[in-house]
């Protein structure tokens, strides 16, 4: 089987970085809102972040699918950097779920219900 080579566009790379960064900022914003006991606004910010993260994930999925089809790409430092941004944002999302639960409990204990 002959492997086909593809080129990863800078648009896709910077899309990964931008979408990941925007989603991460929204996750952090959600926690800040929750600290102020703005639960509905925080949940809306999480939904916004999830939607943005889905955009980044769609770009990554495109490359995984192409590679699974035998089409490889040369991966440079910029692509590694973009993947690092995405991975960190996914980690922030996972930790945020736990932190929001804890913050809701803290707000309740403070009488901020």
């Amino acid at each position: 089987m002959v492997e086909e080579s593809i080129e990863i566009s800078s648009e896709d790379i910077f899309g990964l970085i931008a979408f990941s960064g925007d989603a991460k900022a929204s996750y952090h914003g959600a926690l800040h809102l929750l600290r102020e006991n703005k639960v509905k606004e925080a949940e809306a910010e999480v939904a916004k972040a999830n939607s943005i993260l889905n955009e980044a994930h769609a770009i990554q999925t495109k490359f995984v699918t192409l590679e699974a089809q035998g089409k490889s790409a040369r991966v440079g430092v910029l692509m590694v950097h973009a993947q690092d941004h995405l991975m960190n944002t996914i980690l922030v999302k996972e930790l945020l779920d736990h932190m929001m639960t804890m913050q809701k409990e803290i707000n309740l204990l403070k009488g901020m219900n």
Side-chain angles (χ1 to χ4, degrees):
M1 177 175 170
V2 176
E3 217 173 78
E4 183 181 336
S5 182
I6 59 166
E7 185 168 330
I8 298 173
S9 73
S10 59
E11 181 180 291
D12 281 334
I13 291 171
F14 287 112
L16 270 176
I17 293 169
F19 286 133
S20 297
D22 290 348
K24 187 168 26 173
S26 288
Y27 288 130
H28 285 286
L31 186 57
H32 179 74
L33 287 165
L34 192 55
R35 285 185 183 138
E36 297 174 355
N37 204 35
K38 297 178 180 177
V39 177
K40 289 186 190 280
E41 293 93 334
E43 290 171 351
E45 197 67 17
V46 168
K48 174 183 161 188
N50 288 341
S51 177
I52 295 168
L53 184 58
N54 285 340
E55 295 291 328
H57 195 258
I59 294 169
Q60 182 190 45
T61 300
K62 176 172 77 171
F63 295 124
V64 171
T65 300
L66 287 169
E67 189 166 319
Q69 295 171 346
K71 301 170 185 171
S72 65
R74 185 182 68 77
V75 176
V77 173
L78 198 54
M79 183 59 174
V80 171
H81 179 67
Q83 289 292 322
D84 186 45
H85 270 277
L86 179 59
M87 179 192 72
N88 283 316
T89 300
I90 291 169
L91 179 59
V92 166
K93 177 188 185 303
E94 291 169 355
L95 291 174
L96 180 75
D97 291 338
H98 299 293
M99 292 176 72
M100 287 187 72
T101 299
M102 291 187 309
Q103 188 63 51
K104 287 176 183 177
E105 291 173 0
I106 290 168
N107 290 355
L108 184 62
L109 290 170
K110 286 181 168 181
M112 296 174 71
N113 49 349

